[in-house]
């Protein structure tokens, strides 16, 4: 009987440690305030303006590369409102287009796109941007609704490094890592 109590206590301890790690130490444990006061400061109107090139990979739930892509992007701004056009080309030959409609509100912003349910909520702090939203995948990709958290980090040379996690029912189902940089005109 005593061994059952010890195993139960150990199981509860391990489960608690995993929950703490997932919510406070890992990707979800980041907070935009962690980056306040650090540089270089990201300005979406400046860093997501004009022609941009994006290159990245998507990892599936097992951690293996599921897809590679490039995207031609173009940002256009009028004051605090902008549109970021994205044209993706995947290694499978598939193509996808999206237009993000961004509305800046101080250090926060709202993001809308045709394949996003409702509106995304974003915040800027120092060199970092956090955006959360629910995306609806195309029918040929299963039509799933996934919760997404994007973190973007501005590097010293102006390149933006994007890391996104996609979850369903709280379980990680995909991760994206990409770079975004100004296209040479």
């Amino acid at each position: 009987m005593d061994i059952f109590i010890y195993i139960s206590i150990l199981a509860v301890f391990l489960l608690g440690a995993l929950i703490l790690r997932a919510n406070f130490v890992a990707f979800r444990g980041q907070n935009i305030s962690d980056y306040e006061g650090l540089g270089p400061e990201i300005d979406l109107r400046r860093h997501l303006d004009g022609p941009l090139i994006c290159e990245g990979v998507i990892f599936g739930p097992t951690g293996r590369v599921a897809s590679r892509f490039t995207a031609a992007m173009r940002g256009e701004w009028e004051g605090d409102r902008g549109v970021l056009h994205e044209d993706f080309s995947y290694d499978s030959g598939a193509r996808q287009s999206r237009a993000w409609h961004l509305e800046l509100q101080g250090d926060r912003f709202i993001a809308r796109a045709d394949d996003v349910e409702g509106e995304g909520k974003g915040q800027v702090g120092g060199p970092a941007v956090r955006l959360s939203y629910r995306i609806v995948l195309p029918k040929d990709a299963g039509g799933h609704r996934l919760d997404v958290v994007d973190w973007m980090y501005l590097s010293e040379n102006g390149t933006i490094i994007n890391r996104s996690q996609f979850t369903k029912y709280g379980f990680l189902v995909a991760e994206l890592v990409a770079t975004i940089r100004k296209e040479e005109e």
Side-chain angles (χ1 to χ4, degrees), residues 63-79:
R64 290 189 152 155
V65 173
S67 183
R68 296 179 314 255
F69 65 88
T70 59
M73 303 166 78
R74 178 175 263 314
E76 300 168 344
W77 291 87
E78 285 188 27

Side-chain angles (χ1 to χ4, degrees), residues 94-113:
R95 297 193 174 283
Q96 179 186 19
S97 293
R98 172 184 300 117
W100 282 104
H101 297 268
L102 306 170
E103 183 181 327
L104 303 180
Q105 302 170 340
D107 68 341
R108 297 184 184 274
F109 64 97
I110 294 171
R112 296 178 189 90

Side-chain angles (χ1 to χ4, degrees), residues 14-91:
L14 289 175
L15 181 61
L18 287 173
I19 290 170
L20 286 173
R21 181 189 181 282
N23 288 314
F24 298 106
V25 179
F27 188 79
R28 287 185 277 173
Q30 294 183 87
N31 191 310
I32 200 71
S33 64
D34 297 342
Y35 301 97
E36 293 290 339
L38 300 178
E41 292 268 331
I42 192 166
D43 177 354
L44 297 179
R45 289 171 293 216
R46 185 166 63 101
H47 293 103
L48 294 180
D49 187 46
L52 304 159
I53 294 291
C54 177
E55 299 167 308
V57 292
I58 299 171
F59 300 90
T62 64
R64 290 189 152 155
V65 173
S67 183
R68 296 179 314 255
F69 65 88
T70 59
M73 303 166 78
R74 178 175 263 314
E76 300 168 344
W77 291 87
E78 285 188 27
D80 288 339
R81 293 180 185 265
V83 179
L84 182 62
H85 302 276
E86 303 173 325
D87 292 307
F88 292 91
S89 297
Y90 295 91
D91 59 351

